């Protein structure tokens, strides 16, 4: 009996992930890409011998057992993709009003580092991180399971980042700094849902890495997985 064919348009992260899922379920997968190279926002380009990434500059939650590690394991790309841990004391840096603010991995280190520039804000930082963890803990994607408290998640999907920051953080300057840490999407304090901010903050705060050789390594490794299951990317 011949396998059911599946054609996927576009070879970005979503298209390639979909291709692997279907190929592992026995479909005959063909991914079609109109561009000159696969990968979508995983693509890289070179200028003057230096490689630049177009979209995915660094990744989070990639330590064993964490969300991205488990996803990479399912996609069967762990053997091909080499990660380099970012500076745990400053995996991200927000430049604001002439100052630089370091974001450290882990709750305790994050709070301790921020207190160097906001010494009176220990209570605010801990209140803020309490809400971040509360929301992240009920996010189905972060936990790789069905959400346990959809009402709480919905509440913070309908509550802006600015509203939560005003409730938890006293110093307006610190509120602006925390709002500045939204690496995937342009954050607008009174429009961006706090749930989005919390999920991203938790995701990168757990662990952060760059991809050795560029993010296009992910795309090529995912293509190899599709090909191992008899599919193709054209």
């Amino acid at each position: 009996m011949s396998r059911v064919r599946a054609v996927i348009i576009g070879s970005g992260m979503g298209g390639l992930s979909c291709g692997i899922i279907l190929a592992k379920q026995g479909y005959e997968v063909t991914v079609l890409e109109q561009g000159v190279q696969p990968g979508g926002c995983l693509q890289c380009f070179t200028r003057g011998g230096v490689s630049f990434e177009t979209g995915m500059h660094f990744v989070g939650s990639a330590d064993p057992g964490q969300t991205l590690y488990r996803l990479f394991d399912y996609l069967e790309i762990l053997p091909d993709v080499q990660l380099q841990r970012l500076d745990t004391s400053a995996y991200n840096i927000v430049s604001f009003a002439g100052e630089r603010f370091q974001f450290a991995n882990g709750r305790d280190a994050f709070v301790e580092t921020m207190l160097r520039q906001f010494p009176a804000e220990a209570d605010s930082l801990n209140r803020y991180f309490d809400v971040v963890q509360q929301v992240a803990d009920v996010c189905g994607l972060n936990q790789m399971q069905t959400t346990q408290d959809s009402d709480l998640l919905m509440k913070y999907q309908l509550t802006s980042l600015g509203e939560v920051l005003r409730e938890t953080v006293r110093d307006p300057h610190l509120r602006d700094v925390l709002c500045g840490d939204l690496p995937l999407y342009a954050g607008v304090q009174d429009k961006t849902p706090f749930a989005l901010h919390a999920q991203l903050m938790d995701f990168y705060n757990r662990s952060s890495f760059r991809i050795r050789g560029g993010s296009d390594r992910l795309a090529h490794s995912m293509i190899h997985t599709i090909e191992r299951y008899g599919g193709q990317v054209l």
Side-chain angles (χ1 to χ4, degrees):
M1 182 177 177
S2 61
R3 294 189 296 166
V4 177
R5 298 189 66 190
V7 177
I8 298 168
I9 309 298
S11 68
M13 189 80 178
L16 293 175
S17 298
C18 181
I20 292 175
I21 292 169
L22 292 176
K24 292 180 72 167
Q25 296 301 315
Y27 286 79
E28 182 182 341
V29 171
T30 298
V31 181
L32 301 178
E33 171 58 53
Q34 70 171 345
V36 296
Q37 62 173 308
C41 286
L42 297 175
Q43 293 180 15
C44 296
F45 64 93
T46 301
R47 293 291 184 273
V50 178
S51 178
F52 293 87
E53 287 145 324
T54 60
M56 186 177 288
H57 306 296
F58 68 105
V59 297
S61 290
D63 271 329
Q66 294 179 347
T67 303
L68 197 64
Y69 183 95
R70 294 167 66 186
L71 288 170
F72 281 7
D73 185 44
Y74 175 81
L75 297 172
E76 301 181 16
I77 63 176
L78 284 173
D80 295 339
V81 177
Q82 295 184 341
L83 301 178
Q84 179 179 351
R85 191 180 300 277
L86 298 181
D87 183 352
T88 57
S89 67
Y91 70 88
N92 200 13
I93 296 175
V94 169
S95 297
F96 181 70
E99 295 182 88
R100 289 161 62 86
F101 302 89
Q102 296 181 185
F103 285 65
N105 285 124
R107 175 180 179 143
D108 292 343
F110 172 82
V111 172
E112 181 182 348
T113 301
M114 282 292 169
L115 285 176
R116 296 172 190 167
Q117 289 162 286
F118 298 98
E121 291 299 305
D123 289 343
S124 293
L125 286 164
N126 279 295
R127 281 195 299 269
Y128 161 78
F129 221 105
D130 283 342
V131 185
V132 166
Q133 290 190 320
Q134 187 180 21
V135 174
D137 285 346
V138 298
C139 172
L141 177 60
N142 282 23
Q143 303 305 318
M144 299 290 285
Q145 62 186 11
T146 303
T147 180
Q148 299 299 307
D149 192 340
S150 58
D151 290 340
L152 179 67
L153 188 59
M154 179 61 71
K155 171 187 174 181
Y156 286 105
Q157 286 173 340
L158 298 175
T159 304
S160 73
L161 170 58
E163 289 179 78
V164 175
L165 289 178
R166 284 190 291 273
E167 291 173 0
T168 57
V169 178
R170 291 176 302 180
D171 189 322
H173 191 44
L174 176 56
R175 292 200 294 263
D176 288 338
V177 170
L178 295 174
C179 182
D181 182 45
L182 205 59
L184 296 184
Y185 304 94
V188 180
Q189 283 203 36
D190 291 313
K191 292 185 178 180
T192 299
F194 182 78
L196 174 61
H197 171 84
Q199 291 170 48
L200 290 171
M201 174 64 186
D202 178 78
F203 183 73
Y204 288 99
N205 183 259
R206 290 177 182 269
S207 62
S208 297
F209 301 82
R210 65 176 289 271
I211 302 162
R212 289 186 183 272
S215 57
D216 57 353
R217 296 295 179 92
L218 292 179
H220 292 298
S221 182
M222 293 168 74
I223 290 170
H224 294 158
T225 303
I226 291 172
E227 290 173 343
R228 283 198 300 273
Y229 283 90
Q232 60 181 339
V233 178
L234 306 175

